[in-house]
Amino acid sequence: MLTKFETKSARVKGLSFHPKRPWILTSLHNGVIQLWDYRMCTLIDKFDEHDGPVRGIDFHKQQPLFVSGGDDYKIKVWNYKLRRCLFTLLGHLDYIRTTFFHHEYPWILSASDDQTIRVWNWQSRTCVCVLTGHNHYVMCAQFHPSEDLVVSASLDQTVRVWDISGLRKKNLSPGAVESDVRGITGVDLFGTTDAVVKHVLEGHDRGVNWAAFHPTMPLIVSGADDRQVKIWRMNESKAWEVDTCRGHYNNVSCAVFHPRQELILSNSEDKSIRVWDMSKRTGVQTFRRDHDRFWVLAAHPNLNLFAAGHDGGMIVFKLERERPAYAVHGNMLHYVKDRFLRQLDFNSSKDVAVMQLRSGSKFPVFNMSYNPAENAVLLCTRASNLENSTYDLYTIPKDADSQNPDAPEGKRSSGLTAVWVARNRFAVLDRMHSLLIKNLKNEITKKVQVPNCDEIFYAGTGNLLLRDADSITLFDVQQKR
């Protein structure tokens, strides 16, 4: 995990990324809503009008608006440019758990402990629909990203999928006069209701805290107090449980699909965030905090960024480093992508794969060093446990077939970093943090005592830069000084 930004505050119960600006909203257990710039690590604004905890928060995709819902039974719509609350929607009779804008229509969806889900029109400022059917607190309700569906999770141990196409037809067809058509019960002349339960998903043994749709596939993920994360699949006629991810050892508070990879992220009151492989249904990574229970997760709509809220604040993080390993020589850029070494000519913009890398490491290549004299590369892989880091020494094939590039035999050894220091010599910072000089056959030619350092860089033939916590040293390998 790469933590990009961390805040300390009261317990964070809600999170929302701005789709375009480097902003994130956090709603806190003490009633305050904070607006942070996670790139500059600064607090831009705070909004303090709710009484008691604020659990629901969501940015609007286009307008300068956000919506919040709190334990004071109020839903507030705010304009962050005007820095004030525009209006308050009243109707719920208990705590409000989540509030979300619809991606297209002027609707807000709210879930509440009064066992109902409500759809509001924020332009007319009215409640247009009440979804009843759960018989315990509704912990979460979200719109489908592209279809007329809603998913909800409740402490009644069910996840429900609702069809709201009737609502769209009625509220958005021109010339439909509501009062004429609709009777008192919310059923119109033809007996069609605004929102109907399409699927009831049963399988969790305890209350369900969160449910979310997959951005593109007909899948739902849910997390519950039975400590399980479940994946469900649905079609037009039915929905069924696909699998369960087991590993959390306390209530799962939130679970979301990764927007672009086959992964699920979940977090829990067991003080951990877990990443699951969707195809294998196994845990890939676990990130723990010592004292903070996690409450909520958010995925950025178009960047590989995530945020998690816990007892002591929140973190914005990436799962992995996205910058590829690269080296520039003259007008040539060599870089690693998808298990290939590629070469880009800046002059002709020609980009070709020059060789295939041998697999066998589950970590991506971290950095590389290129030797133009021998047309050789050193590719360093940084493991999460630094001791296990390795490097590969390859000679790039002369006449590479870019359609079907060779996979030459590389030489692999352990070491934190390997860089060329001369035409036929390279330096390796090994796991004991001492310096080895090796030849093209990957044999040690000498060992050099160096000042304590945690990283080495090329600094011209025969020279290295050594980095430690608070200084950089220029080191001459020949003269060992």
Side-chain angles (χ1 to χ4, degrees), residues 443-471:
E443 302 158 341
I444 299 174
T445 58
K446 63 178 171 190
K447 273 190 172 174
V448 183
Q449 277 317 112
V450 291
N452 188 31
C453 73
D454 62 9
E455 187 65 280
I456 58 173
F457 303 92
Y458 175 69
T461 305
N463 292 335
L464 289 171
L465 288 172
L466 313 180
R467 182 189 78 186
D468 67 23
D470 44 25
S471 66

Side-chain angles (χ1 to χ4, degrees), residues 190-252:
F190 308 106
T192 58
T193 46
D194 303 338
V196 289
V197 175
K198 196 175 164 81
H199 311 297
V200 179
L201 308 177
E202 293 173 319
H204 282 294
D205 303 329
R206 305 281 288 278
V208 189
N209 293 316
W210 199 265
F213 286 114
H214 190 279
T216 53
M217 298 196 286
L219 298 175
I220 291 168
V221 65
S222 60
D225 288 348
D226 60 9
R227 307 172 181 188
Q228 296 177 353
V229 174
K230 286 189 185 287
I231 308 165
W232 314 78
R233 201 174 183 95
M234 59 182 182
N235 59 22
E236 267 313 299
S237 55
K238 63 180 195 290
W240 62 98
E241 185 180 326
V242 178
D243 220 327
T244 303
C245 302
R246 293 181 177 86
H248 282 295
Y249 47 93
N250 206 331
N251 303 342
V252 180

Side-chain angles (χ1 to χ4, degrees), residues 150-161:
V150 161
V151 66
S152 60
S154 163
L155 292 192
D156 66 13
Q157 305 184 13
T158 67
V159 172
R160 286 171 187 247
V161 179

